[in-house]
Amino acid sequence: MLALSAALLVASAIQSATATIRFGCSQLVTQRFDPLVTPGIVSPHVHQIVGGNAFNLTMDPNEDYSKTATCTTCRFKEDKSNYWTAVLYFKHANGSYMRVPQKPNDQVGSTNGGMTVYYIAGYPPFQKVTAFKKGFRMIVGDPMIRTKAAPQRNSVESYAISFRCWDDPRGNSNNSPPGGGQDTAALPTKFCNGGIRSNIIFPTCWDGTSTDPEDHTSHMRYQTGTVDPGMGIIWQQGTCPSTHPVRTPTVIYEIAWDTAPFKSVWPKDGSQPLVMSMGDPTGYGQHGDYVFGWEGDSLQRAMDTCKDQFGTPEACRELTVLSDAEMNKCTQKPQVNERVEGEYLPALPGCNPVQNGPNPATMPANCGGSQPTATATSSTTVVQPTPTTSSTTVLVPQPTPQGPAIPKYGQCGGNGWTGSTTCVAGSTCTKLNDWYSQCT
């Protein structure tokens, strides 16, 4: 928060005319669901999800999730959207993996893990932005990449996804906007005393017609122009390209990873022990998914009227503020039959061997086991939060015999795929995106 506050104070008189809301969201569930990339089937890797409890395996774009959700893990009652990212794991010297917990970001309350979300109108000031519509969704980032060029001042997108190494979340290591200052595109290479913060900034220019193209990305673009590294892209004074002329709110995720529990077992040889859930030890494959779910015109009203320069929820009187207890009690039980957190695991969930790059990651031909099944219905039951160590007690998936035919829910194609494209009897190889085809 101090990072954004510092940027805002530079020109507070002008920027107070720019709409900003900033709020915490507690954890809804952690599991291998990704209904945008792999709708209806188990995802290749683990995600942490926040937002409305109508989140499910398919997320039909025709459904109004602001009405079907009965609660939300986010600060505003009107926001039943869903926000999700990959998960960070610590790799022990013995080769086992432990999920890195999340902690509340600065000045968001006592949320149970989760993340911080921003909606910002940005520059130039006084502009009107157009809120997203029912059925809108988008993705940013590529989970398969393992290298990335350094940020370029003439490329807004190159500043969009980064990490911050906190010496102290309220100290000098947090005195720049997300993506600016000392933030890096790769995971930090040292132990960070205050933890690590992920910064994920979505594009803000919409084509004005499509709410969800097949690739979930082509309807959105970043603004053009030059970036001031000291200010990042939040207040960058660029314009939208003519192909995507409609300015929307800038959506930002900040995830605070609590690395403190691993200090005593952190490698002494200078090696980097963190790996993202898709087998990415570089961090370049960090990505985020967004499904709109605000009630009625509530987001548009907030963007039109909530001008508090720090985005404080209580200052936005157009919206209903929930308590920490109300947010934290909105949870879902995992629906994938496997353990993903709370103890050291022998391997990353799914089929995700660590791949350092620099070539893009590929999925191995034989994963040594079948994919667990999941329930493809939405869950709207509010359950009391339970400790991480007991919230995902499940059975370990049973292995299947090796062979040329890919089992149901296994990968059978995609960019870089070198394994079999033949599925077991009763299953067909279905293309889900350019990087992943699955036997369904």
Side-chain angles (χ1 to χ4, degrees):
M1 176 61 176
L2 294 183
L4 183 54
S5 300
L8 287 163
L9 286 171
V10 172
S12 60
I14 296 176
Q15 293 171 358
S16 63
T18 297
T20 301
I21 52 174
R22 174 189 185 271
F23 53 94
C25 298
S26 64
Q27 207 76 58
L28 179 70
V29 66
T30 301
Q31 62 183 359
R32 280 201 289 142
F33 272 25
D34 189 351
L36 294 192
V37 178
T38 55
I41 51 180
V42 176
S43 167
H45 58 269
V46 175
H47 295 92
Q48 56 94 15
I49 301 106
V50 306
N53 71 337
F55 180 81
N56 63 80
L57 193 59
T58 57
M59 296 302 283
D60 183 348
N62 297 311
E63 186 171 345
D64 187 345
Y65 291 100
S66 70
K67 295 179 179 177
T68 54
T70 61
C71 69
T72 178
T73 73
C74 295
R75 183 65 68 187
F76 294 118
K77 183 179 180 180
E78 293 84 356
D79 183 17
K80 307 299 197 308
S81 305
N82 285 113
Y83 314 86
W84 66 95
T85 73
V87 166
L88 195 62
Y89 284 88
F90 173 84
K91 185 178 182 181
H92 194 276
N94 65 12
S96 62
Y97 297 85
M98 173 71 85
R99 174 172 161 16
V100 179
Q102 289 146 248
K103 62 180 181 177
N105 201 354
D106 188 43
Q107 299 183 40
V108 298
S110 300
T111 57
N112 178 24
M115 66 174 83
T116 305
V117 177
Y118 296 76
Y119 287 80
I120 302 177
Y123 255 56
F126 305 104
Q127 70 178 322
K128 182 177 177 64
V129 295
T130 300
F132 309 112
K133 303 179 184 301
K134 181 178 78 72
F136 183 91
R137 59 254 334 250
M138 59 181 168
I139 293 176
V140 64
D142 180 350
M144 309 305 285
I145 64 172
R146 295 294 183 267
T147 188
K148 188 183 291 185
Q152 304 295 316
R153 293 194 62 184
N154 62 351
S155 170
V156 173
E157 184 174 1
S158 67
Y159 286 85
I161 298 178
S162 60
F163 296 91
R164 175 164 300 182
C165 181
W166 274 332
D167 294 324
D168 175 359
R170 298 186 65 83
N172 291 333
S173 61
N174 205 30
N175 283 341
S176 59
Q182 301 302 309
D183 291 355
T184 58
L187 280 162
T189 55
K190 67 173 186 177
F191 179 77
C192 303
N193 288 317
I196 296 171
R197 194 185 74 194
S198 290
N199 312 303
I200 299 176
I201 305 175
F202 286 80
T204 190
C205 299
W206 179 40
D207 65 13
T209 57
S210 177
T211 55
D212 186 30
E214 185 178 353
D215 62 4
H216 311 294
T217 60
S218 57
H219 58 328
M220 296 295 292
R221 289 287 184 271
Y222 289 93
Q223 63 268 33
T224 60
T226 303
V227 179
D228 177 352
M231 294 294 286
I233 66 177
I234 294 177
W235 305 116
Q236 192 263 354
Q237 299 189 51
T239 57
C240 285
S242 59
T243 55
H244 295 71
V246 182
R247 179 79 68 147
T248 65
T250 301
V251 177
I252 303 174
Y253 299 170
E254 290 181 344
I255 305 98
W257 305 103
D258 187 6
T259 53
F262 305 100
K263 186 173 184 177
S264 63
V265 289
W266 203 266
K268 301 296 190 293
D269 61 1
S271 59
Q272 199 288 103
L274 300 176
V275 56
M276 303 205 77
S277 52
M278 59 280 191
D280 176 15
T282 68
Y284 292 127
Q286 183 173 214
H287 54 288
D289 297 57
Y290 173 82
V291 170
F292 174 79
W294 285 79
E295 295 178 1
D297 65 346
S298 55
L299 179 59
Q300 186 66 64
R301 287 187 284 109
M303 290 290 95
D304 289 344
T305 61
C306 299
K307 306 293 187 180
D308 178 67
Q309 60 180 334
F310 300 115
T312 308
E314 290 75 12
C316 185
R317 299 188 178 182
E318 287 290 333
L319 302 175
T320 308
V321 176
L322 298 176
S323 66
D324 290 339
E326 289 173 304
M327 297 162 58
N328 289 337
K329 76 178 182 181
C330 183
T331 63
Q332 279 188 345
K333 291 182 179 179
Q335 299 174 57
V336 181
N337 195 29
E338 65 184 346
R339 183 179 291 279
V340 301
E341 59 186 349
E343 64 180 37
Y344 276 99
L345 307 172
L348 293 173
C351 191
N352 294 287
V354 175
Q355 299 182 64
N356 294 282
N359 293 327
T362 60
M363 291 291 287
N366 294 297
C367 296
S370 63
Q371 292 277 8
T373 58
T375 305
T377 57
S378 58
S379 171
T380 55
T381 302
V382 181
V383 296
Q384 293 300 320
T386 53
T388 300
T389 53
S390 61
S391 62
T392 55
T393 303
V394 290
L395 298 175
V396 177
Q398 296 300 309
T400 56
Q402 298 294 320
I406 303 298
K408 189 173 184 178
Y409 302 127
Q411 184 174 9
C412 57
N415 288 347
W417 175 250
T418 57
S420 173
T421 57
T422 303
C423 300
V424 294
S427 295
T428 346
C429 188
T430 305
K431 178 180 177 181
L432 301 175
N433 56 50
D434 289 341
W435 305 283
Y436 194 78
S437 297
Q438 190 170 47
C439 292
T440 59

